[in-house]
Amino acid sequence: MISFFLTRLLRAFITVMLVVTFAFIVLRMSGDPAQIILGPDAPPQAIEAFRKAWGLDQPILVQYFSYFGAIFQGDLGVSMRDGQQAIDLVAERIPATLMLTIPTLLLNLAIGIPAGVYAALHRDSIIDRLVMMTAIIGFTLPNFVLGLVLVLIFSVTLKWLPSGGSDTWMHAILPVLTMSIAGAAILARFARSAMIEILGQPYIRTASAKGVRWGDVIRNHALPNAAIPIVTLVGFMVGSLVAGAVVIESLFSWPGVGRLLVVAVSNRDLAVVQCILLLIASTMVLSNLVVDLLYGFLDPRLRDNQAKA
């Protein structure tokens, strides 16, 4: 089990480093921050002084190793806009993002998995077709389009909910609903497919032939085995919630990490962008690491194979 954990941990570390390296290179190829921050009318002397002050005049390899050396010392850089620590700016926005992502995840689990399992247990029924039709619509409709439709219905037409901002808990309803519909739809489709596959396995038919109650077959045999692929998808969804909040937070003027990322990218605030990307990459990798560990408990065969390898 220790070898299994260390192997996954090493892979997670390498993945985060590759993501941060890619972001570092792309950001420095996308334009000169000095030109954007100081403006096109800034004199060349001011631009050169700015670049020298922030180390942008150094070769990219020197900047790269300096950046990673600072990361391992706990320094994620300083905002070029206001001089604050990038980690402080991001930390201020994390609670607002969690106010959207945690309820979204809970709704995804509470709606998507039961709907998918119920549809699988009533395959080809009217309810199954209704669930799948709703899931397809929710999955294929882009988040920003769905958000605009919800604003049009509940804010503009019915005037029940605010269209943007974060002053009260009611401001979070539309963003959470927008993010939850797509996630619940994906989970419903995946849970249905996983359950249908498991229900077709020989050991399910054998258990039924032995006279085991159908409810016990589902609870003790089908659901635990179907949980393995579902856990994979849930882990991916947990990691992608922060990244998915970028569009929603911008659409609903929600002051979270996603909206900060959009502003930082437009301003070429390198330290802030890199800090947020590091947060997103770490969240996704950590969630997948947890999924790998859960695999070892849900399916001991994976842990045994890793130990033999």
Side-chain angles (χ1 to χ4, degrees):
M1 188 62 187
I2 296 177
S3 174
F4 180 84
F5 174 76
L6 292 178
T7 301
R8 295 300 189 274
L9 190 62
L10 178 61
R11 291 179 182 177
F13 176 77
I14 294 174
T15 302
V16 171
M17 291 298 100
L18 289 176
V19 170
V20 173
T21 298
F22 178 77
F24 180 91
I25 296 173
V26 170
L27 285 173
R28 278 150 182 81
M29 294 176 59
S30 62
D32 188 359
Q35 293 279 358
I36 297 174
I37 294 176
L38 298 181
D41 299 328
Q45 297 84 355
I47 293 177
E48 186 62 28
F50 182 92
R51 299 183 76 251
K52 185 175 182 179
W54 292 98
L56 299 175
D57 59 331
Q58 298 178 355
I60 190 169
L61 279 179
V62 175
Q63 297 182 46
Y64 177 79
F65 287 113
S66 297
Y67 173 64
F68 269 89
I71 285 182
F72 288 116
Q73 295 177 9
D75 182 8
L76 297 181
V78 178
S79 170
M80 295 180 179
R81 279 284 174 177
D82 51 24
Q84 295 187 50
Q85 290 289 327
I87 186 63
D88 294 336
L89 291 173
V90 175
E92 291 175 358
R93 303 294 188 100
I94 290 178
T97 297
L98 292 178
M99 288 179 62
L100 297 185
T101 54
I102 292 178
T104 296
L105 178 62
L106 294 178
L107 279 177
N108 288 347
L109 298 175
I111 298 174
I113 294 179
V117 171
Y118 189 84
L121 295 177
H122 299 80
R123 188 177 182 183
D124 295 329
S125 66
I126 296 178
I127 294 179
D128 177 29
R129 294 172 183 173
L130 180 61
V131 169
M132 286 301 98
M133 182 181 67
T134 305
I136 291 174
I137 295 174
F139 174 70
T140 56
L141 197 62
N143 270 352
F144 67 91
V145 175
L146 179 59
L148 291 175
V149 171
L150 294 178
V151 168
L152 180 62
I153 295 174
F154 293 103
S155 297
V156 178
T157 304
L158 300 176
K159 301 185 185 302
W160 288 353
L161 297 171
S163 60
S166 60
D167 296 333
T168 66
W169 64 269
M170 294 185 66
H171 289 79
I173 294 179
L174 286 183
V176 169
L177 189 60
T178 303
M179 296 174 65
S180 299
I181 289 176
I186 296 173
L187 265 179
R189 293 183 62 191
F190 203 82
R192 177 183 180 273
S193 299
M195 278 296 295
I196 289 176
E197 181 180 356
I198 295 299
L199 291 175
Q201 296 298 317
Y203 60 83
I204 298 293
R205 294 193 295 268
T206 301
S208 299
K210 288 182 177 181
V212 180
R213 289 194 314 156
W214 183 240
D216 292 335
V217 172
I218 298 300
R219 183 170 53 254
N220 298 327
H221 298 282
L223 287 178
N225 286 281
I228 296 177
I230 293 175
V231 164
T232 304
L233 181 59
V234 172
F236 177 78
M237 292 178 67
V238 170
S240 62
L241 279 176
V242 177
V246 173
V247 175
I248 300 304
E249 290 182 357
S250 299
L251 178 63
F252 291 97
S253 300
W254 188 266
V257 174
R259 191 178 179 194
L260 177 62
L261 177 61
V262 174
V263 174
V265 168
S266 63
N267 292 334
R268 293 297 189 277
D269 200 343
L270 300 184
V272 176
V273 175
Q274 290 168 172
C275 184
I276 296 176
L277 293 180
L278 179 61
L279 171 65
I280 294 174
S282 299
T283 303
M284 298 187 72
V285 169
L286 180 61
S287 63
N288 283 280
L289 176 62
V290 172
V291 167
D292 284 339
L293 296 178
L294 286 176
Y295 270 176
F297 291 103
L298 293 174
D299 190 350
R301 292 173 299 177
L302 298 176
R303 187 170 64 246
D304 295 340
N305 290 338
Q306 180 66 29
K308 293 178 182 179

